[in-house]
Amino acid sequence: MATAPDLDTPDEPVASSGSSFVNIGERTNVTGSAAFKKLIMAGDYVRAVEVARAQVDNGAQVIDVNMDEGLLDAEYAMTTFLKLIAAEPDIARVPVMVDSSKWSVIEAGLKCVSGKPIVNSISMKEGEEAFLYYAKKVMAYGAAVVVMAFDEVGQADTQQRKIEICERAYKLLMGIGFPPEDIIFDPNVFAVATGIDEHNNYGVDFIEATREIRKRCPHVHISGGLSNLSFSFRGNEPVRRAMHSIFLYHAIPAGMDMGIVNAGQLDVYDQIDPELREACEDVILNRDPGATDRLITTAEKYRGTDAVAEKAAEEWRGWPVAKRLEHALVKGLDAFVVEDTEEARQLFPRPIEVIEGPLMDGMNVVGDLFGSGKMFLPQVVKSARVMKKAVAHLLPFIEAAKEVGARAKGKIIMATVKGDVHDIGKNIVGVVLACNGYDIIDLGVMVSWTKILEAANENDADMIGLSGLITPSLDEMVTVAAEMQRAGMTMPLLIGGATTSKVHTAIRISPAYAGPVVHVLDASRAVGVASTLMSDTQRDPFVEKTAAEYEAVRIARANKGQNELATLADARANAFVAAPDGKAPSAAKPGVHVFEDWDLADLRDYIDWTPFFRAWELAGNYPAILDDEVVGESARSLWADAQAMLDKVIGEKWLTAKGVAGLWPCRRDGDDVIVMSQAPFVPSEVEGPAASALPEARTSTSLGTNGFPEGSAEVRLPMLRQQIKKREGRPNMCLADFITPEGDWIGGFAVTAGHGIDERSAAFRAAHDDYSDIMLKALADRLAEAFAERLHAHVRSDLWGYAPGEQLTNEALVREQYRGIRPAPGYPACPDHSLKPALFDLLGATDATGITLTESFAMLPTAAVSGFYFGHADSEYFGVARVGRDQLEDYAVRRDVDLDTAERWLRPNLD
């Protein structure tokens, strides 16, 4: 493996040409590339190696390798991948940056790399002793190291703090003989032009700190994450490119010689529009108190600007009306659709012919583009909005002429099954199918099997589509299939939703129904499946092929040698042993804290945007997806629309965020956590948290003299343990392992950002605007997740208080670079949804937040998150996966339920 590039420079600043600047490629990072993560999770290391090769071919001079994923054996993945790329001369010629938040993973990687690798990263956030311990380890391996400007107080933000921390770290490293040329300081690039005065000097702080660090710390290197700088202008690529180029123009001569930078997304300084260049430079160099406002104004001129597009926008209005309608449908433009539809109506003898003619012709173009991968889901949903507005204009004329509506390709009943309340995915599929000429009858959410079958019969449906997000929905789908069989139905049954899979459909649902059963992976496959099932010539071969595939799955599953399970006793004997010194202290502010109206503007800064794009079936991680060669244009348009709606959501208070968090004494009893809690929730005086930006909280009664809540009662929370046999040195994890038997603390929370959404959603649907309806629901989901992130940070720093000086960027929060976890019932570490009622009782969550639970433990409003807080320093996420009969029986006793009930709760985890 190649050594780290020779970046050693004299004490003078590097040349302004930036010829010695080193680009770091980050596509071999599971947290930065959805495509790479998918390959690694699937064990497809051969294709993963090609990702590394492509990075090097595209000019990366260092490749950053990160395998931090909760459901991945990161040590195995890191070592396997590094050994493979070491055997590839085209890749091995560049150095590797071994990147992980876990030292064990870094060390495993270092053992596989020849030459000089780079460790990313170490810091002084846990004090000097831990810092030097890891630094000596790095030095022993002969590696270079990224040192974050982070100490016990938190991240360095000001110039003084950056210099102080880096100089302190430098002196400590020199004291142990660490080679200075192997030190890479990251003094933290922060966002400017945020509207907060304290942030105005962040660009200058980095540049000037870089200059001074290079003087005080000879021979070191300086790196930084460039994308953070322009975060305020996400979605406006011309401005972001200009800001990055101008920042590097000044930072490189000051001494910045490394960074994660896409050279193809930079502009030549002298070729940037002078007005934009001056506005950006004034912000970055903080030359004018009004610079931020001026750049915001200037930036609007560049949002989505393109000379060719502007010319086209002027020309298309002069096209023939049929061509204009096609253009409006393909581009999702609804501004002129009513007048163009009316003009078309005047040209046809009957209004129905406008639908059957130019409108359907246009939608056929949309369908062809979507099917060929040249158009993406957000654009299709916009097209549907245009189509619905055109049809809505024509309907009164059609009814007045007593005409029969345009013939549909097929009639499909769609429903989210009983107990489940999630409908974004179902709505998207319905829109896509409607765009392709299908008549969709959407029954909504929480739909019983009786209502589904009745609707199918009453509407003479051609097929039924079921959707579900939570695992209990899988059982309900089996019930629907069985009832369809009992009723003698023969129509196709389509299965979709986040928890569904081809394997589950083959093993559980298909055997319950003799008619065609087809798992539909996502909206992009729905049209093809529906069209085939409606075809006279293609249906039977497709049904036979699918049935054969499912039979093969069942046979393979029956013959497959599954991972061997340990007995429950052996798994418990191999439990994880948490370090005693990692135990979190007692909560600073115990009890239940209710937040009745958290500021949405505050939550906006904590949004993880990658899942937002995935909800729209756009693959890629934010912010890289905005520059993606394939989906970038669609992603940027979607991003701009999301920001515009989010401005209204916050400015006009469309939604209300309510939350509750609780902290209680507890202890471990085997695999159970015993929580000491007040029986009823009794709100008392209003309490204002330390941070003035936070909303006021209602707080529960105080602790008694014995350290437990007055009138407290024991609440038992049984947890599940991994039973798959592990290789030596790997424990069988259980969440209870992070709690000590002698006495400890645990927390819980429930948050929602969904209050107020129903009224807005209904208004969008009434206006035939599915795009805005889906957009609002997706944003509400993101705000709820952001609320969970924000509240957890408040708990760590204030309510529990075990991390009082924590200062993390949003990127660091997304990568979970903090102490503690918040596992949710129904997710891998705590897969039983039925623990939610116990959690809600502890929190008084329904009274505090208005969140209710369905009979299948789904939360309403749907934009809601709940879970537990574990504060031990060793706590981490894991997947329980498959459990044995012995644990099922043991769990039933511990939960005090009959075996059938326990089996229903744990069915996804059973053999």
Side-chain angles (χ1 to χ4, degrees):
M1 187 65 65
T3 60
D6 182 8
L7 294 175
D8 193 22
T9 58
D11 295 348
E12 296 301 318
V14 297
S16 60
S17 66
S19 58
S20 64
F21 190 87
V22 173
N23 295 324
I24 301 170
E26 205 183 23
R27 306 309 294 169
T28 48
N29 183 327
V30 296
T31 67
S33 168
F36 183 73
K37 175 181 175 181
K38 184 177 181 180
L39 294 174
I40 295 296
M41 294 296 287
D44 192 350
Y45 287 93
V46 174
R47 292 175 62 193
V49 167
E50 293 308 309
V51 175
R53 192 190 314 279
Q55 279 199 121
V56 176
D57 290 345
N58 290 330
Q61 294 157 286
V62 176
I63 56 172
D64 178 277
V65 180
N66 181 295
M67 299 292 180
D68 285 357
E69 156 60 41
L71 298 181
L72 191 65
D73 185 338
E75 292 179 29
Y76 172 81
M78 178 68 78
T79 55
T80 301
F81 184 71
L82 291 181
K83 288 175 182 176
L84 288 171
I85 63 175
E88 299 289 336
D90 292 345
I91 306 172
R93 63 188 175 85
V94 303
V96 166
M97 180 175 280
V98 184
D99 182 358
S100 178
S101 58
K102 299 178 182 177
W103 176 255
S104 62
V105 178
I106 289 176
E107 193 161 27
L110 291 175
K111 293 176 182 178
C112 300
V113 180
S114 59
K116 184 185 289 295
I118 303 170
V119 170
N120 187 13
S121 60
I122 64 173
S123 73
M124 295 188 294
K125 66 180 179 181
E126 296 177 359
E128 293 183 358
E129 184 178 351
F131 174 68
L132 290 176
Y133 171 80
Y134 291 120
K136 290 174 183 176
K137 288 268 193 179
V138 172
M139 189 165 57
Y141 282 104
V145 67
V146 175
V147 178
M148 302 298 297
F150 200 131
D151 64 6
E152 303 89 340
V153 176
Q155 277 187 297
D157 50 1
T158 65
Q159 176 183 339
Q160 181 181 352
R161 285 267 294 148
K162 295 176 194 289
I163 296 169
E164 171 192 318
I165 292 175
C166 291
E167 186 175 23
R168 178 184 165 202
Y170 183 80
K171 290 178 179 178
L172 288 170
L173 293 173
M174 292 304 96
I176 61 171
F178 201 102
E181 64 273 15
D182 289 346
I183 301 170
I184 304 165
F185 282 121
D186 186 336
N188 306 318
V189 176
F190 290 126
V192 294
T194 64
I196 301 173
D197 291 343
E198 290 79 1
H199 299 176
N200 289 349
N201 213 50
Y202 278 167
V204 176
D205 285 328
F206 184 95
I207 293 168
E208 293 307 316
T210 294
R211 197 186 313 278
E212 190 63 23
I213 291 167
R214 292 296 292 262
K215 289 180 181 178
R216 298 191 189 189
C217 308
H219 308 296
V220 302
H221 309 294
I222 305 292
S223 181
L226 204 60
S227 62
N228 291 342
L229 179 83
S230 60
F231 190 73
S232 298
F233 295 92
R234 50 203 183 277
N236 192 329
E237 289 312 301
V239 172
R240 298 196 76 178
R241 288 167 64 113
M243 291 180 72
H244 297 166
S245 304
I246 292 165
F247 182 79
L248 287 180
Y249 181 81
H250 293 282
I252 289 175
M256 182 181 180
D257 52 5
M258 296 181 75
I260 299 173
V261 179
N262 184 343
Q265 295 298 317
L266 294 174
D267 297 321
V268 177
Y269 177 85
D270 290 335
Q271 294 178 4
I272 299 171
D273 181 86
E275 180 187 13
L276 178 60
R277 184 175 65 215
E278 181 180 7
C280 291
E281 207 157 35
D282 284 347
V283 164
I284 291 168
L285 302 181
N286 196 17
R287 297 192 298 207
D288 179 356
T292 293
D293 291 338
R294 191 166 65 257
L295 179 56
I296 290 172
T297 301
T298 303
E300 286 305 309
K301 301 177 184 178
Y302 297 87
R303 186 181 296 277
T305 56
D306 184 297
V308 176
E310 288 178 359
K311 184 178 180 181
E314 296 170 358
E315 291 178 351
W316 79 278
R317 294 306 302 155
W319 296 347
V321 67
K323 192 68 176 175
R324 293 203 305 272
L325 285 171
E326 177 188 312
H327 181 80
L329 288 164
V330 171
K331 296 297 183 181
L333 305 173
D334 63 351
F336 305 100
V337 68
V338 172
E339 63 184 74
D340 285 350
T341 301
E342 175 59 23
E343 182 180 337
R345 188 180 71 83
Q346 304 293 335
L347 302 177
F348 287 86
R350 298 180 304 141
I352 192 67
E353 294 180 38
V354 180
I355 297 176
E356 294 176 336
L359 289 175
M360 285 310 302
D361 289 343
M363 290 310 297
N364 286 335
V365 173
V366 171
D368 290 342
L369 290 171
F370 183 55
S372 63
K374 297 176 182 177
M375 194 169 179
F376 301 98
L377 188 61
Q379 296 161 301
V380 174
V381 179
K382 283 185 178 179
S383 298
R385 175 173 60 184
V386 177
M387 181 69 172
K388 286 190 174 183
K389 289 188 175 181
V391 171
H393 174 72
L394 292 170
L395 278 177
F397 299 101
I398 293 173
E399 291 172 2
K402 294 185 168 27
E403 292 182 316
V404 178
R407 183 178 178 183
K409 292 180 180 178
K411 189 173 290 187
I412 304 176
I413 303 294
M414 297 193 68
T416 299
V417 295
K418 179 182 175 183
D420 204 329
V421 295
H422 299 86
D423 67 351
I424 292 180
K426 172 179 63 67
N427 291 352
I428 288 174
V429 172
V431 167
V432 172
L433 287 168
C435 284
N436 284 269
Y438 290 90
D439 185 2
I440 304 300
I441 300 168
D442 189 342
L443 303 181
V445 301
M446 297 270 293
V447 187
S448 66
W449 66 263
T450 54
K451 187 175 179 181
I452 293 170
L453 269 60
E454 286 171 4
N457 289 325
E458 290 172 1
N459 292 279
D460 192 21
D462 294 292
M463 62 191 82
I464 293 173
L466 303 180
S467 176
L469 180 69
I470 59 176
T471 50
S473 300
L474 299 177
D475 286 340
E476 188 61 29
M477 290 179 179
V478 176
T479 299
V480 175
E483 293 299 331
M484 290 175 68
Q485 176 68 20
R486 194 169 66 85
M489 290 182 162
T490 59
M491 70 183 67
L493 174 62
L494 308 183
I495 302 295
T499 60
T500 64
S501 67
K502 179 179 178 180
V503 173
H504 179 269
T505 303
I507 293 174
R508 297 282 326 285
I509 302 176
S510 181
Y513 180 52
V517 179
V518 183
H519 178 253
V520 182
L521 186 63
D522 55 40
S524 65
R525 317 292 176 89
V527 174
V529 171
S531 299
T532 303
L533 289 171
M534 292 299 299
S535 168
D536 292 336
T537 58
Q538 296 178 335
R539 173 189 163 113
D540 290 345
F542 175 74
V543 170
E544 291 173 6
K545 179 184 175 184
T546 303
E549 287 178 357
Y550 288 0
E551 178 62 20
V553 168
R554 289 190 287 270
I555 293 171
R557 189 76 170 188
N559 297 331
K560 183 180 179 181
Q562 292 183 305
N563 291 328
E564 188 178 355
L565 293 183
T567 66
L568 180 57
D570 287 345
R572 285 173 172 167
N574 190 42
F576 175 77
V577 180
D581 59 356
K583 176 181 173 181
S586 299
K589 299 177 181 179
V592 175
H593 306 261
V594 179
F595 300 91
E596 296 177 332
D597 189 3
W598 198 289
D599 184 6
L600 296 176
D602 178 55
L603 299 183
R604 182 178 198 161
D605 294 334
Y606 289 81
I607 291 177
D608 176 8
W609 285 103
T610 296
F612 170 80
F613 289 103
R614 289 177 184 167
W616 290 91
E617 296 185 11
L618 294 180
N621 283 9
Y622 174 83
I625 191 173
L626 300 177
D627 300 318
D628 188 90
E629 292 180 2
V630 178
V631 302
E633 181 180 356
S634 182
R636 287 191 295 273
S637 175
L638 180 68
W639 169 258
D641 291 343
Q643 298 312 302
M645 180 175 283
L646 196 51
D647 288 341
K648 292 182 178 179
V649 169
I650 295 171
E652 300 175 17
K653 201 66 166 58
W654 287 8
L655 304 174
T656 301
K658 296 177 179 288
V660 58
L663 295 164
W664 311 282
C666 67
R667 70 178 188 279
R668 174 184 171 183
D669 180 18
D671 287 352
D672 298 347
V673 179
I674 309 299
V675 181
M676 303 299 296
S677 160
Q678 299 127 326
F681 170 71
V682 183
S684 63
E685 74 281 358
V686 171
E687 171 216 355
S692 59
L694 300 181
E696 292 183 332
R698 290 190 287 114
T699 304
S700 65
T701 54
S702 60
L703 297 183
T705 55
N706 63 352
F708 295 106
E710 295 176 351
S712 63
E714 289 191 352
V715 177
R716 182 175 293 268
L717 300 175
M719 300 297 178
L720 292 165
R721 182 174 296 281
Q722 293 175 325
Q723 274 189 268
I724 292 175
K725 283 191 173 180
K726 301 295 190 75
R727 69 175 188 268
E728 188 176 352
R730 303 287 292 179
N732 291 85
M733 307 284 287
C734 174
L735 286 174
D737 293 344
F738 305 131
I739 301 295
T740 64
E742 298 77 24
D744 214 322
W745 285 80
I746 193 171
F749 73 97
V751 297
T752 179
H755 290 299
I757 195 171
D758 290 343
E759 179 181 353
R760 294 283 175 182
S761 185
F764 285 134
R765 290 196 300 272
H768 313 290
D769 192 353
D770 291 298
Y771 181 73
S772 295
D773 179 34
I774 294 169
M775 176 71 76
L776 179 60
K777 290 174 178 175
L779 288 175
D781 283 352
R782 288 297 89 217
L783 286 168
E785 293 287 353
F787 194 176
E789 193 72 81
R790 180 66 179 94
L791 185 56
H792 194 188
H794 181 49
V795 166
R796 294 191 301 270
S797 63
D798 185 74
L799 300 182
W800 198 331
Y802 61 75
E806 179 184 278
Q807 296 182 37
L808 297 174
T809 63
N810 190 45
E811 181 183 7
L813 290 172
V814 169
R815 296 179 67 173
E816 297 167 358
Q817 294 176 343
Y818 47 74
R819 170 175 169 171
I821 58 174
R822 54 173 190 276
Y827 285 78
C830 182
D832 184 4
H833 282 272
S834 73
L835 281 179
K836 282 180 195 167
L839 172 63
F840 271 50
D841 287 346
L842 283 166
L843 292 165
T846 298
D847 289 339
T849 66
I851 303 172
T852 58
L853 295 176
T854 71
E855 60 192 278
S856 298
F857 315 115
M859 291 178 286
L860 276 171
T862 56
V865 186
S866 63
F868 299 104
Y869 293 134
F870 288 81
H872 196 286
D874 292 338
S875 59
E876 61 180 80
Y877 294 103
F878 57 88
V880 168
R882 200 160 47 94
V883 299
R885 185 77 182 181
D886 53 352
Q887 184 161 194
L888 170 66
E889 294 171 352
D890 179 84
Y891 190 72
V893 172
R894 289 156 55 204
R895 290 296 306 272
D896 192 25
V897 297
D898 59 69
L899 199 59
D900 288 344
T901 300
E903 188 168 0
R904 188 174 73 253
W905 289 343
L906 302 186
R907 186 167 288 128
N909 297 84
L910 299 176
D911 283 326

